[in-house]
């Protein structure tokens, strides 16, 4: 069973607006969550992470929110820029091990 | 819901030995990938595979690496003569189509070369 799910395969937003990428997980033992950005024929590039002891982590235009009770996390990008267009993967790990990836969401930011 | 599986979950081997990492992609997917993540470093692309051929590979994927889809369900990564620096987590992924860049990742195989 997919333990980490990204139910939206694609998302399109206008430049300057907010992009919200969502991710759900099923395993309550996950204690560390990450977002990656990926271009074709490259490995996913780490973007931002959050520990399960927090509910928010912010880094510039990127903010990750964690709702443990709902087993849900989201990545907010504001303002969105055309260079943000890529596939975004969320991932979850347990004890810094056993990382599981979601299937990814393709974000397109239109100028 | 279908998922990508990988075996073994952990493998320990001696330097110079050959290892084969196995992956079972999602059954109707056509594109297959291998990535690796050395501890504490980024996830690196190794190779993509389509129609029984390598479609792209990175500079990491040198002659000691090979991939195969031997029986229509398994997708394997072989490392011929392992080196210490091959110790890493190896992730397999599959996708329904190359343009559909959402990829389903397996849980990984942790390889330790001694």
């Amino acid at each position: 069973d997919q333990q980490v799910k990204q139910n939206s395969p694609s998302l399109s937003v206008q430049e300057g607006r907010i992009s919200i990428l969502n991710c759900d997980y099923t395993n309550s033992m996950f204690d560390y969550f990450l977002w990656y950005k990926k271009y074709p024929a490259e490995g996913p590039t780490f973007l931002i992470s959050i520990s399960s002891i927090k509910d928010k982590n912010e880094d510039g235009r990127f903010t990750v929110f964690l709702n443990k009770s709902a087993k849900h996390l989201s990545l907010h990008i504001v303002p969105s820029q055309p260079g943000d267009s890529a596939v975004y993967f969320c991932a979850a790990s347990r004890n810094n091990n056993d990382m599981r990836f979601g299937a990814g969401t393709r974000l397109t930011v239109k100028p | 819901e279908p998922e990508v599986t990988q075996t073994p979950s952990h493998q320990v081997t001696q330097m110079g030995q050959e290892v084969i990492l196995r992956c079972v992609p999602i059954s109707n997917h056509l594109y297959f990938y291998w990535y690796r993540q050395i501890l504490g470093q980024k996830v690196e692309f190794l190779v993509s595979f389509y129609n029984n051929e390598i479609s792209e590979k990175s500079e990491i994927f040198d002659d000691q690496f090979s991939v195969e889809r031997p029986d229509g369900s398994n997708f394997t990564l072989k490392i011929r003569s392992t080196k210490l620096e091959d110790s890493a987590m190896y992730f397999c992924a599959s996708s329904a189509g190359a343009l559909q860049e959402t990829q389903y990742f397996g849980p990984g195989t942790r390889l330790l070369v001694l």
Side-chain angles (χ1 to χ4, degrees):
Chain A
D1 188 27
Q2 285 285 334
Q3 296 188 31
V4 179
K5 296 181 184 181
Q6 292 176 257
N7 291 318
S8 299
S10 64
L11 173 69
S12 182
V13 299
Q14 208 65 37
E15 181 178 6
R17 298 288 183 104
I18 185 171
S19 297
I20 300 177
L21 299 148
N22 292 303
C23 179
D24 298 292
Y25 60 95
T26 57
N27 189 342
S28 57
M29 299 300 290
F30 288 136
D31 57 11
Y32 195 67
F33 305 89
L34 310 94
W35 281 96
Y36 288 85
K37 180 178 179 180
K38 186 183 177 305
Y39 296 110
E42 294 181 14
T45 301
F46 170 76
L47 203 56
I48 191 169
S49 63
I50 188 167
S51 161
S52 60
I53 61 172
K54 293 188 169 183
D55 53 21
K56 176 183 174 181
N57 188 26
E58 193 171 351
D59 183 3
R61 296 186 297 115
F62 303 92
T63 303
V64 55
F65 294 92
L66 176 63
N67 181 335
K68 288 189 292 292
S69 59
K71 296 193 183 70
H72 177 85
L73 66 154
S74 60
L75 175 68
H76 293 211
I77 307 173
V78 55
S80 301
Q81 299 171 354
D84 295 329
S85 297
V87 178
Y88 288 79
F89 290 89
C90 75
S93 71
R94 179 178 49 166
N95 295 330
N96 206 27
N97 219 334
D98 194 25
M99 188 157 70
R100 303 294 176 109
F101 286 88
T105 297
R106 170 177 269 291
L107 172 66
T108 304
V109 180
K110 297 178 181 176
Chain B
E1 193 171 340
E3 59 179 353
V4 175
T5 58
Q6 289 184 243
T7 54
S9 58
H10 295 78
Q11 180 148 4
V12 181
T13 190
Q14 294 288 329
M15 190 171 60
Q17 295 295 304
E18 175 185 284
V19 295
I20 298 176
L21 308 182
R22 291 184 166 78
C23 169
V24 179
I26 293 173
S27 61
N28 62 343
H29 284 187
L30 301 175
Y31 291 82
F32 314 108
Y33 312 85
W34 282 101
Y35 299 86
R36 77 171 186 192
Q37 185 178 32
I38 295 170
L39 189 63
Q41 297 185 24
K42 62 180 182 178
V43 180
E44 301 170 296
F45 169 77
L46 291 178
V47 65
S48 59
F49 190 85
Y50 169 72
N51 199 27
N52 283 322
E53 287 184 346
I54 290 173
S55 47
E56 282 188 271
K57 61 181 181 177
S58 71
E59 59 188 22
I60 300 167
F61 195 88
D62 60 23
D63 291 342
Q64 70 158 344
F65 291 96
S66 62
V67 289
E68 198 178 24
R69 192 154 157 79
D71 56 14
S73 62
N74 288 285
F75 178 53
T76 62
L77 174 69
K78 183 193 287 186
I79 310 174
R80 284 191 188 83
S81 178
T82 50
K83 299 183 266 221
L84 296 176
E85 54 265 36
D86 293 326
S87 296
M89 189 73 137
Y90 288 80
F91 292 100
C92 168
S94 69
S95 65
L99 293 179
Q100 180 191 334
E101 287 172 12
T102 52
Q103 297 179 11
Y104 289 78
F105 280 76
T109 293
R110 186 173 291 283
L111 175 66
L112 178 60
V113 182
L114 301 176

PDB file of all heavy atoms in Angstrom, chain B residues 21-22 56 58 65 89 93 109:
ATOM      1  N   LEU B  21      20.320  -5.834  -7.330  1.00  0.00           N
ATOM      2  CA  LEU B  21      19.198  -5.263  -6.600  1.00  0.00           C
ATOM      3  C   LEU B  21      17.959  -5.441  -7.462  1.00  0.00           C
ATOM      4  O   LEU B  21      17.982  -5.141  -8.657  1.00  0.00           O
ATOM      5  CB  LEU B  21      19.446  -3.773  -6.317  1.00  0.00           C
ATOM      6  CG  LEU B  21      20.788  -3.452  -5.647  1.00  0.00           C
ATOM      7  CD1 LEU B  21      20.892  -1.957  -5.384  1.00  0.00           C
ATOM      8  CD2 LEU B  21      20.990  -4.239  -4.385  1.00  0.00           C
ATOM      9  N   ARG B  22      16.896  -5.885  -6.819  1.00  0.00           N
ATOM     10  CA  ARG B  22      15.694  -6.229  -7.576  1.00  0.00           C
ATOM     11  C   ARG B  22      14.538  -5.288  -7.290  1.00  0.00           C
ATOM     12  O   ARG B  22      14.356  -4.813  -6.163  1.00  0.00           O
ATOM     13  CB  ARG B  22      15.279  -7.663  -7.279  1.00  0.00           C
ATOM     14  CG  ARG B  22      16.247  -8.686  -7.845  1.00  0.00           C
ATOM     15  CD  ARG B  22      15.810 -10.107  -7.640  1.00  0.00           C
ATOM     16  NE  ARG B  22      16.604 -11.003  -8.474  1.00  0.00           N
ATOM     17  CZ  ARG B  22      17.847 -11.400  -8.187  1.00  0.00           C
ATOM     18  NH1 ARG B  22      18.437 -10.988  -7.092  1.00  0.00           N
ATOM     19  NH2 ARG B  22      18.490 -12.211  -9.002  1.00  0.00           N
ATOM     20  N   GLU B  56      18.163   6.975 -20.737  1.00  0.00           N
ATOM     21  CA  GLU B  56      19.089   8.009 -20.270  1.00  0.00           C
ATOM     22  C   GLU B  56      19.903   7.449 -19.112  1.00  0.00           C
ATOM     23  O   GLU B  56      19.420   6.591 -18.380  1.00  0.00           O
ATOM     24  CB  GLU B  56      18.336   9.246 -19.772  1.00  0.00           C
ATOM     25  CG  GLU B  56      17.833  10.138 -20.870  1.00  0.00           C
ATOM     26  CD  GLU B  56      17.272  11.431 -20.350  1.00  0.00           C
ATOM     27  OE1 GLU B  56      16.068  11.462 -20.051  1.00  0.00           O
ATOM     28  OE2 GLU B  56      18.027  12.423 -20.249  1.00  0.00           O
ATOM     29  N   SER B  58      23.132   8.723 -16.122  1.00  0.00           N
ATOM     30  CA  SER B  58      23.981   9.792 -15.602  1.00  0.00           C
ATOM     31  C   SER B  58      25.443   9.348 -15.676  1.00  0.00           C
ATOM     32  O   SER B  58      25.747   8.186 -15.979  1.00  0.00           O
ATOM     33  CB  SER B  58      23.600  10.104 -14.158  1.00  0.00           C
ATOM     34  OG  SER B  58      24.007   9.047 -13.311  1.00  0.00           O
ATOM     35  N   PHE B  65      27.922  -0.747 -13.738  1.00  0.00           N
ATOM     36  CA  PHE B  65      26.483  -0.857 -13.532  1.00  0.00           C
ATOM     37  C   PHE B  65      25.815  -1.420 -14.788  1.00  0.00           C
ATOM     38  O   PHE B  65      26.232  -1.131 -15.917  1.00  0.00           O
ATOM     39  CB  PHE B  65      25.871   0.524 -13.253  1.00  0.00           C
ATOM     40  CG  PHE B  65      26.244   1.120 -11.931  1.00  0.00           C
ATOM     41  CD1 PHE B  65      27.301   2.016 -11.844  1.00  0.00           C
ATOM     42  CD2 PHE B  65      25.524   0.819 -10.790  1.00  0.00           C
ATOM     43  CE1 PHE B  65      27.644   2.588 -10.632  1.00  0.00           C
ATOM     44  CE2 PHE B  65      25.855   1.398  -9.571  1.00  0.00           C
ATOM     45  CZ  PHE B  65      26.920   2.285  -9.484  1.00  0.00           C
ATOM     46  N   MET B  89      21.612   4.066  -0.388  1.00  0.00           N
ATOM     47  CA  MET B  89      20.240   3.590  -0.542  1.00  0.00           C
ATOM     48  C   MET B  89      19.927   3.665  -2.029  1.00  0.00           C
ATOM     49  O   MET B  89      20.157   4.700  -2.652  1.00  0.00           O
ATOM     50  CB  MET B  89      19.313   4.488   0.251  1.00  0.00           C
ATOM     51  CG  MET B  89      17.907   3.981   0.347  1.00  0.00           C
ATOM     52  SD  MET B  89      17.823   2.578   1.457  1.00  0.00           S
ATOM     53  CE  MET B  89      16.371   2.971   2.361  1.00  0.00           C
ATOM     54  N   ALA B  93      12.094   3.272  -9.313  1.00  0.00           N
ATOM     55  CA  ALA B  93      10.833   3.968  -9.554  1.00  0.00           C
ATOM     56  C   ALA B  93      10.290   3.552 -10.906  1.00  0.00           C
ATOM     57  O   ALA B  93      11.029   3.082 -11.779  1.00  0.00           O
ATOM     58  CB  ALA B  93      11.024   5.485  -9.501  1.00  0.00           C
ATOM     59  N   THR B 109      16.595  -0.117  -1.320  1.00  0.00           N
ATOM     60  CA  THR B 109      17.484  -1.162  -0.802  1.00  0.00           C
ATOM     61  C   THR B 109      18.712  -0.474  -0.236  1.00  0.00           C
ATOM     62  O   THR B 109      19.371   0.296  -0.938  1.00  0.00           O
ATOM     63  CB  THR B 109      17.931  -2.144  -1.905  1.00  0.00           C
ATOM     64  OG1 THR B 109      16.805  -2.892  -2.363  1.00  0.00           O
ATOM     65  CG2 THR B 109      18.987  -3.114  -1.366  1.00  0.00           C
TER      66      THR B 109
END
